[in-house]
Amino acid sequence: MRAARSPLAIPPETGYDQRMAFTLGQLRLSSNLFLSPLAGYTNLPFRLTIRQIGGARSATSTAGGACRATSAVGLCTTDLVNARSLLEKNRKALKLIETRPDDHPLAGQLYGTVPEEMRDAALALESLGVDAVDVNMGCPVRKVCLNGGGSALMSDHEKAAHLIRTMVAAVKIPVTCKMRLGWDDANITAPDLARALEDAGVAAITVHGRTRQQGFSGRVNLAGIRAVAQAVQDIPVVGNGDITAPQAAKRMFDETGCAAISIGRGAFYNPWIFQHITHYLGSGELLPEPTFDERLAVMRRHLDLMVEVFGEEHGCRKFRKVALQYSKRFGPTKEFNRRIVRLSSRAEFDDIVTAYRAWRTQFMDEHDNLKRGYEPRPLEEVSTISMPPGPNELW
């Protein structure tokens, strides 16, 4: 296996575990745990919610940029946005990249196939203060692939490398790439593509350990991610897929040799996952799961941000599918889920919670814990997570 990349090591600051430090091009990140882009979900309210869970740390630019506060997650990435739509200042595209000063370090993810459009879109993101640009070469959705974008780029290495080279030459911020292992099991192209993109100047590569054909079915292929990590010389490889608990994160590091991990669905299922992984990797101990009241407090904060960013009606409507992910750790949820899918106002959320608390008591023991048989499965036993379809169904 490839030796550890010493240029990535950063001296620990204020006791922070050196194993978690990370560099991405010119960026110095305090954590090698990242939030993946997840279409329809990783909007500004969710990113802010994730950043607010866990101890505050910092990230700076090695070029002398100002220190920016962040949480146990080292880098968040926006929902994927079409480069052409961004250049046309499409209202929905601009909403996808909406950010704030406390939403950093932040990468903006682009998809597209025209080098000049991708270059100009990267420049636009840079002008808005985004810290890195990520190129989507992994989206399996048919409408994206039919236009030659997403996973389809993995089948044309020369085209993909030219795209990256054009963007790298235009911007000063790091350009990264997210890919899958290949189109299908007969076409595992990620190692060769990773070498081509490294030559083109990409700063890092994230690998989701499944093929385009798989979507999210089956188990993530850790050996496939390891092959990509061994294929490149000097850039970090970020592992992605099936990170649902701290033990899964450690297994990803141990079995792939990746320099960082990126978490998508697992973060929606368990927003505390970054804090829990950080603690586990540093101490070998598992933190207890958040209490029911702690989960409700974070849900309320998330909903408040959704209302603030999207307005009450639209924010509540978008929060319906979010709430269904939080509730998976509540125990029995029939009464909660029945009402939350019709949520239309902030005040209604409090009414739903009050009614659910009363309904939930029938499943509680004398110590106010869920009775045996009603507890959710331990996180380490959750290998895959299903989510409602986003705008790009399988990404």
Side-chain angles (χ1 to χ4, degrees):
M1 183 170 291
R2 185 178 299 279
R5 302 176 179 86
S6 58
L8 295 177
I10 303 172
E13 300 172 3
T14 61
Y16 188 55
D17 191 339
Q18 183 176 353
R19 291 173 297 174
M20 301 292 285
F22 189 83
T23 61
L24 180 64
Q26 66 189 28
L27 288 176
R28 301 175 67 228
L29 305 175
S30 62
S31 169
N32 58 354
L33 307 177
F34 304 157
L35 176 65
S36 293
L38 195 63
Y41 294 93
T42 47
N43 47 37
L44 176 60
F46 181 59
R47 297 195 306 268
L48 292 176
T49 300
I50 285 290
R51 293 182 190 279
Q52 291 166 5
I53 298 176
R57 304 198 186 281
S58 64
T60 61
S61 166
T62 56
C67 178
R68 289 169 165 167
T70 185
S71 62
V73 58
L75 181 73
C76 292
T77 303
T78 67
D79 196 335
L80 74 168
V81 59
N82 181 283
R84 183 175 301 172
S85 295
L86 181 60
L87 294 175
E88 293 173 349
K89 298 185 178 179
N90 176 279
R91 180 180 58 84
K92 291 183 179 179
L94 293 175
K95 200 66 177 175
L96 290 175
I97 62 169
E98 182 176 359
T99 186
R100 295 179 182 177
D102 53 347
D103 182 34
H104 288 272
L106 178 67
Q109 188 179 73
L110 297 172
Y111 76 93
T113 60
V114 181
E116 293 76 19
E117 290 180 352
M118 292 289 281
R119 175 199 64 200
D120 293 346
L123 284 166
L125 289 176
E126 184 178 42
S127 71
L128 293 172
V130 170
D131 302 290
V133 177
D134 189 54
V135 178
N136 184 309
M137 295 187 187
C139 180
V141 175
R142 186 172 181 268
K143 69 176 182 179
V144 175
C145 294
L146 280 177
N147 292 323
S151 296
L153 280 169
M154 297 193 67
S155 300
D156 191 334
H157 295 186
E158 185 176 341
K159 179 179 180 180
H162 176 64
L163 188 73
I164 293 295
R165 193 175 293 110
T166 301
M167 297 172 69
V168 169
V171 297
K172 296 182 176 63
I173 58 178
V175 175
T176 64
C177 173
K178 184 176 183 184
M179 64 174 68
R180 286 183 172 240
L181 294 179
W183 188 261
D184 53 31
D185 288 341
N187 295 278
I188 302 298
T189 56
D192 289 339
L193 178 58
R195 281 190 288 265
L197 297 184
E198 181 177 26
D199 291 341
V202 77
I205 291 171
T206 299
V207 184
H208 181 93
R210 291 183 174 90
T211 64
R212 187 267 179 187
Q213 186 182 56
Q214 279 183 275
F216 281 110
S217 65
R219 299 297 299 272
V220 68
N221 184 345
L222 297 181
I225 298 175
R226 183 173 65 246
V228 179
Q230 293 173 337
V232 298
Q233 294 296 319
D234 298 311
I235 61 171
V237 168
V238 182
N240 171 243
D242 291 353
I243 306 298
T244 58
Q247 299 95 317
K250 187 176 188 302
R251 186 162 55 251
M252 175 73 78
F253 279 122
D254 290 347
E255 296 187 22
T256 70
C258 62
I261 60 175
S262 186
I263 305 169
R265 292 174 298 159
F268 236 97
Y269 183 68
N270 175 26
W272 289 264
I273 193 168
F274 299 100
Q275 181 191 43
H276 288 187
I277 291 172
T278 299
H279 183 82
Y280 181 70
L281 294 180
S283 68
E285 299 174 346
L286 292 171
L287 290 173
E289 284 205 43
T291 65
F292 177 63
D293 286 337
E294 288 171 333
R295 292 184 186 280
L296 286 177
V298 170
M299 280 186 75
R300 286 193 177 96
R301 174 57 178 155
H302 194 164
L303 176 57
D304 286 342
L305 287 167
M306 294 286 276
V307 170
E308 182 182 336
V309 171
F310 298 107
E312 184 165 27
E313 181 181 356
H314 189 43
C316 287
R317 189 164 61 248
K318 290 176 71 68
F319 189 72
R320 294 170 183 173
K321 63 182 180 182
V322 174
L324 293 175
Q325 299 305 312
Y326 281 105
S327 71
K328 287 180 179 179
R329 304 303 296 175
F330 285 179
T333 56
K334 180 179 179 180
E335 181 63 20
F336 179 84
N337 291 347
R338 181 182 67 84
R339 295 187 59 185
I340 203 69
V341 294
R342 298 192 299 272
L343 179 71
S344 60
S345 71
R346 177 64 179 79
E348 185 183 358
F349 177 78
D350 290 330
D351 292 340
I352 291 172
V353 169
T354 298
Y356 175 61
R357 279 186 182 276
W359 180 86
R360 190 172 181 264
T361 57
Q362 63 187 297
F363 306 102
M364 311 299 290
D365 62 21
E366 64 274 18
H367 303 294
D368 205 29
N369 296 317
L370 286 168
K371 294 177 181 177
R372 186 176 180 86
Y374 292 109
E375 314 99 318
R377 285 189 299 163
L379 284 169
E380 60 269 24
E381 295 180 9
V382 179
S383 57
T384 58
I385 300 168
S386 61
M387 296 185 72
N392 300 314
E393 287 73 12
L394 291 176
W395 182 237

